[in-house]
Amino acid sequence: MLQNIWLIPLFPFVSSVLLILTAGQLPRRLIAIMGAGSVGLSALVVLAVGMQFMESQTPYTLTLWVWMQIGNFAPGFSFYVDQLTVVMMSVITGVGFLIHLYSTEFMDDDSDYSRYFAYMNMFVAAMLILVLADNLLLLYLGWEGVGVCSYLLVGFWYKDPVNGAASRKAFVITRVGDTAMALGLFLLFTELGTLQIQPMLDAANSRWVTGDTIPAIAALLLLGGAVGKSAQLPLHTWLPDAMAGPTPVSALIHAATMVTAGVYLIARTHGLFLLAPDVLMLVALVGLFTLLLAAFTALNQTDIKRILAYSTISQIGYMFLALGVGAWSAGIFHLMTHAFFKALLFLGAGAVVHCLHHEQNIFKMGGLRTKLPVVFWSFLIGSAALAALPFTSGFFSKDQILLSAFELHGSTGISTWVGPWLWAGGLVGAIVTAIYSFRLVFIVFYGEAKTEPDRQPGWRMAGPLSLLCVLSLIGGYFVLPLESVFPAAAEHHVSHLIEGISISIPLIGVFIAWLVYYKRSLPVEGFTESGFGKALRNFWYSGWAMDKLYDTLLVNPYTGTANAMRGEWLDKIYHGVVSLCQGLHALLSKSQGGKMRWYATSMVFGLIVLVTLVGWAS
């Protein structure tokens, strides 16, 4: 079955092309079957490939053709399968299929049904190429493919200028990271002569030693690409605005595909990052600062989808923290569990919006616990996993990350005190995560109902929600066989006190949320309504004013310069040429009056002039 791995990206790709070529002329039922069914077929192939691969545990490479050949540089359109690839493909196709099935009902009233599934399937195909690629050039093709598809999907409802602006913002900001990544690829090829991932890593380890400058620069450039695609500080501001797209798009981008691409890139090239411990420490710090910034921002949002968007940024920050402290398997484990509970939360949010007349303000909701029971239980389980409550999937993966951070020590040249500080920062993020997660639950599903639902989710929406509920509960018990991909992880030897603190912090956060947002017995209004409290809330609500900072430093100077140059003297020359051409065209147009006598006179006059000139010249 391994020789058929090319079918995995082919099914959604062919479906996308057919949907584009037919331009919405197919029946909706057939469009739904092609859109969701193609991803379902890929998921079945992944299941068969995974079962066969787990028997041998031997990495497998399939070369379909040589992509290009320039001297000794001959990258192939080749796929590479190991344990990491199987995990990523399972998440993309498994969760992706559930999102597609959900979409068949959620988007049923949309006039662009076919275009929606064409973009979604192309997105899945590009992400599968990204994780299957055995060389960085093919990986970059998938990398740019998901970028283009995200632009199309975020701006899917393009008639609204706000949506168009959001899609352009996502495209431009991620291009910054993509440029850094391209420079990193150029550097690696120049120094090592190959972009084949495994040979490149072997060559890097044989040529360089830990702490050398060149691998540090290369790793830093790859980190730039990862930061842009995975929406980490400072290139994270595109992701909240990406909520302009349909909610299932948000689920696909945030849970199973695009934002995990940066995590996958660092994990796949971990051998290079191990040669640059300072850059690896930077990965951890980027993750820590991002998870804290996003968590406090989510705590102050009122839009249900933007709360989950900042939550995604925060959880990806935990994955970066895991990678930075060398907990590679824990980072990928959290990637998988996050795909389960974040897809559940986004699809649950989509069901709320779908049934509440497209209302997204959480303070205009309330009392939905009995009115939308399936959605309530979905949100409750998803929020519990997001908050990392004991025995949920998020608990197992996040606990591994925090304990690994605490045990970080000086074996990589890092001071022994760094680990406990990273652990403490992660705990602060964990308690805030628990607070904003259950703030959402208590405000939306309890209290007085402010908006009545006009429908109930059908089986195509309720089915994926139910299955994701199960995965969000039991996903933490899955054992990921990644020992042959990453260095063996050390066993945790922390005190029972440290373990107890890590477990109890999310519970304390839920208790605080219960006191503040459900019982309303914890008096916080005195602080939140004070001058300083309001200023702090507004600062956090704005995303720590990062957009304002970029507008001040980059956007406004650029647009100001462009506006100033609109009237520069050089333009007047071109405008003059245009005006002259337009004037001559007007004169010629007047000569076309439709009168035969005028045409004959003009021809005779022209002939006389021509004969006169010839005679004069001779």
Side-chain angles (χ1 to χ4, degrees):
M1 195 64 196
L2 285 171
Q3 66 272 18
N4 294 320
I5 56 175
W6 56 276
L7 292 172
I8 298 172
L10 183 67
F11 287 136
F13 176 77
V14 170
S15 173
S16 176
V17 171
L18 291 176
L19 290 172
I20 291 172
L21 293 177
T22 53
Q25 299 303 308
L26 299 175
R28 281 185 171 249
R29 185 176 181 84
L30 181 58
I31 293 172
I33 292 173
M34 291 174 62
S38 60
V39 181
L41 287 174
S42 295
L44 291 176
V45 177
V46 169
L47 179 61
V49 167
M51 292 177 64
Q52 180 180 351
F53 180 80
M54 297 313 295
E55 295 177 359
S56 62
Q57 297 282 322
T58 303
Y60 177 79
T61 302
L62 174 67
T63 300
L64 300 178
W65 63 80
V66 175
W67 188 0
M68 63 183 76
Q69 186 159 4
I70 305 173
N72 294 326
F73 181 57
F77 209 95
S78 306
F79 297 146
Y80 178 81
V81 178
D82 63 0
Q83 289 91 337
L84 178 59
T85 312
V86 171
V87 171
M88 294 299 298
M89 289 192 303
S90 301
V91 170
I92 295 166
T93 58
V95 177
F97 170 69
L98 295 177
I99 294 172
H100 276 68
L101 178 59
Y102 176 100
S103 298
T104 61
E105 180 179 339
F106 184 89
M107 298 295 293
D108 197 39
D109 297 332
D110 198 282
S111 58
D112 287 324
Y113 200 63
S114 180
R115 181 167 64 90
Y116 171 82
F117 280 105
Y119 292 167
M120 289 282 278
N121 285 3
M122 188 64 73
F123 196 9
V124 172
M127 189 66 190
L128 287 169
I129 289 175
L130 190 159
V131 300
L132 276 166
D134 86 323
N135 63 82
L136 290 174
L137 189 62
L138 184 59
L139 184 150
Y140 195 69
L141 174 67
W143 188 274
E144 291 299 316
V146 296
V148 171
C149 292
S150 70
Y151 167 80
L152 296 172
L153 286 166
V154 170
F156 180 77
W157 290 314
Y158 59 88
K159 294 181 181 179
D160 187 342
V162 174
N163 298 343
S167 63
R168 290 192 298 274
K169 181 178 181 180
F171 193 76
V172 170
I173 291 180
T174 53
R175 292 291 76 71
V176 175
D178 295 353
T179 302
M181 179 179 173
L183 293 174
L185 301 190
F186 293 149
L187 177 61
L188 288 170
F189 179 73
T190 301
E191 293 294 324
L192 302 176
T194 182
L195 290 179
Q196 299 292 118
I197 296 175
Q198 303 308 318
M200 182 269 293
L201 294 177
D202 292 339
N205 280 277
S206 62
R207 179 171 180 178
W208 297 318
V209 297
T210 302
D212 280 354
T213 302
I214 297 298
I217 295 174
L220 192 61
L221 290 170
L222 293 185
L223 174 60
V227 161
K229 198 67 75 180
S230 290
Q232 295 293 283
L233 193 71
L235 301 179
H236 66 286
T237 57
W238 66 269
L239 192 59
D241 289 353
M243 296 300 97
T247 305
V249 170
S250 304
L252 189 64
I253 292 177
H254 292 224
T257 54
M258 182 170 166
V259 295
T260 62
V263 178
Y264 171 78
L265 175 66
I266 296 176
R268 177 56 77 191
T269 58
H270 69 277
L272 178 66
F273 280 84
L274 288 172
L275 296 173
D278 291 339
V279 178
L280 207 54
M281 189 67 230
L282 181 61
V283 173
L285 293 175
V286 165
L288 178 64
F289 291 135
T290 303
L291 73 89
L292 291 173
L293 180 150
F296 281 101
T297 304
L299 185 60
N300 291 271
Q301 298 300 304
T302 59
D303 185 303
I304 188 171
K305 290 176 65 177
R306 289 182 72 87
I307 294 172
L308 297 179
Y310 279 107
S311 168
T312 296
I313 297 173
S314 183
Q315 296 306 302
I316 299 293
Y318 276 104
M319 298 176 207
F320 269 64
L321 175 61
L323 300 176
V325 300
W328 312 101
S329 296
I332 299 301
F333 189 25
H334 195 57
L335 183 154
M336 181 192 71
T337 60
H338 174 260
F340 298 153
F341 63 73
K342 188 51 61 67
L344 175 61
L345 286 169
F346 264 112
L347 296 186
V352 171
V353 173
H354 187 67
C355 298
L356 258 62
H357 320 284
H358 303 286
E359 180 59 64
Q360 294 185 200
N361 189 332
I362 61 174
F363 291 103
K364 294 182 180 180
M365 300 176 185
L368 297 179
R369 177 171 55 90
T370 56
K371 300 178 186 299
L372 297 173
V374 173
V375 181
F376 165 69
W377 284 106
S378 299
F379 244 95
L380 185 62
I381 293 172
S383 297
L386 172 60
L389 297 188
F391 309 114
T392 62
S393 61
F395 164 76
F396 292 98
S397 55
K398 190 178 289 186
D399 191 56
Q400 286 187 18
I401 294 172
L402 292 176
L403 294 181
S404 297
F406 183 85
E407 294 182 312
L408 183 67
H409 51 77
S411 62
T412 56
I414 299 171
S415 300
T416 55
W417 54 266
V418 172
W421 279 105
L422 293 176
W423 171 76
L427 287 182
V428 173
I431 194 169
V432 177
T433 300
I435 294 173
Y436 73 68
S437 299
F438 279 84
R439 166 184 180 257
L440 189 57
V441 171
F442 293 137
I443 291 176
V444 172
F445 295 97
Y446 289 85
E448 179 185 354
K450 301 178 180 65
T451 305
E452 291 293 330
D454 62 352
R455 68 185 81 181
Q456 290 289 324
W459 72 268
R460 287 176 293 171
M461 294 175 68
L465 287 173
S466 301
L467 185 54
L468 287 168
C469 282
V470 175
L471 291 173
S472 297
L473 289 174
I474 69 170
Y477 296 94
F478 295 166
V479 178
L480 299 186
L482 297 173
E483 58 276 355
S484 64
V485 179
F486 303 119
E491 294 185 5
H492 299 303
H493 299 289
V494 299
S495 66
H496 293 304
L497 175 62
I498 297 299
E499 288 186 343
I501 293 174
S502 298
I503 294 172
S504 62
I505 283 293
L507 297 172
I508 295 173
V510 173
F511 181 65
I512 293 173
W514 180 74
L515 290 176
V516 175
Y517 300 108
Y518 181 76
K519 296 292 290 184
R520 301 190 181 277
S521 59
L522 190 63
V524 296
E525 290 79 8
F527 172 75
T528 58
E529 297 303 321
S530 66
F532 176 75
K534 287 182 178 179
L536 187 61
R537 285 169 53 200
N538 291 334
F539 178 66
W540 285 343
Y541 179 83
S542 69
W544 297 47
M546 292 297 295
D547 278 319
K548 184 177 181 180
L549 176 64
Y550 290 150
D551 287 343
T552 302
L553 296 179
L554 301 173
V555 178
N556 293 339
Y558 177 82
T559 55
T561 303
N563 290 330
M565 295 179 67
R566 281 182 177 179
E568 64 178 355
W569 64 268
L570 190 62
D571 284 341
K572 295 180 180 179
I573 298 176
Y574 300 113
H575 292 326
V577 172
V578 172
S579 298
L580 178 62
C581 292
Q582 289 176 338
L584 293 174
H585 177 74
L587 291 174
L588 290 173
S589 297
K590 291 180 179 180
S591 68
Q592 305 299 312
K595 297 180 179 180
M596 294 299 296
R597 288 181 296 177
W598 169 252
Y599 293 162
T601 302
S602 300
M603 292 173 65
V604 171
F605 178 75
L607 182 60
I608 292 172
V609 172
L610 180 62
V611 171
T612 301
L613 290 174
V614 171
W616 179 77
S618 60

